[in-house]
Amino acid sequence: MRRLVIFAATVALSTVPALANGHGGDAPPPPKPEATSAPAKVVLTKQGPKLVDLKGMTLYYYERDTTGKTSNCNGKCTESWVPLSATADAKAVGDFTVISRNDGSKMWAYRYRPLYTSPADKAPGDANGNATTLQWRIARPDE
């Protein structure tokens, strides 16, 4: 009987701190995970899957962007190819990374290839930018 009382007292005393921490004790709440979402998504088309921005506009990459650290489309080039801009505090998410541009702004890259939209695309799903030159390609998740 004495062993039972000692056992019961030990169990009771060991559960008090656990209950106190879960119900208004001094322990701080766990940190909240950062709510970071990808800047683009994959859509399926007749030509296969492609990347689009969050508005549904087709994303492209430039074949001369090979280092994964910079964009070779600057100045006048950005009038025809609009960089997929990122906020100054944006963080990498999955296969999406953030790179710095020549002007100091940030832009998104997919698997280290900077991403752009084309003003030739007027509506979600358009892919008119692909036909303008062979150096620009539709960004696809398998590339």
Side-chain angles (χ1 to χ4, degrees):
M1 179 72 176
R2 182 176 177 177
R3 286 186 181 169
L4 181 61
V5 171
I6 292 173
F7 176 74
T10 303
V11 169
L13 290 174
S14 66
T15 59
V16 169
L19 291 174
N21 283 339
H23 299 286
D26 292 335
K32 293 181 181 179
E34 288 186 29
T36 305
S37 61
K41 58 188 175 182
V42 176
V43 296
L44 298 176
T45 68
K46 291 178 185 176
Q47 294 78 27
K50 70 177 180 178
L51 292 174
V52 298
D53 67 9
L54 298 180
K55 296 176 186 172
M57 302 304 286
T58 301
L59 292 170
Y60 301 86
Y61 70 89
Y62 187 35
E63 286 187 356
R64 292 186 181 175
D65 287 341
T66 57
T67 67
K69 297 178 183 176
T70 60
S71 166
N72 286 305
C73 180
N74 295 292
K76 283 228 176 253
C77 178
T78 61
E79 293 173 13
S80 299
W81 299 97
V82 181
L84 183 60
S85 63
T87 60
D89 62 345
K91 304 272 190 253
V93 176
D95 286 331
F96 294 95
T97 54
V98 180
I99 64 168
S100 295
R101 298 188 42 76
N102 285 358
D103 63 5
S105 65
K106 304 282 184 181
M107 74 179 289
W108 287 103
Y110 179 74
R111 294 185 179 167
Y112 300 100
R113 284 198 178 251
L115 296 171
Y116 308 84
T117 58
S118 172
D121 296 341
K122 302 301 181 196
D126 286 355
N128 300 319
N130 201 43
T132 60
T133 176
L134 297 177
Q135 294 181 339
W136 292 88
R137 303 264 186 244
I138 293 174
R140 301 194 182 277
D142 53 352
E143 295 178 345

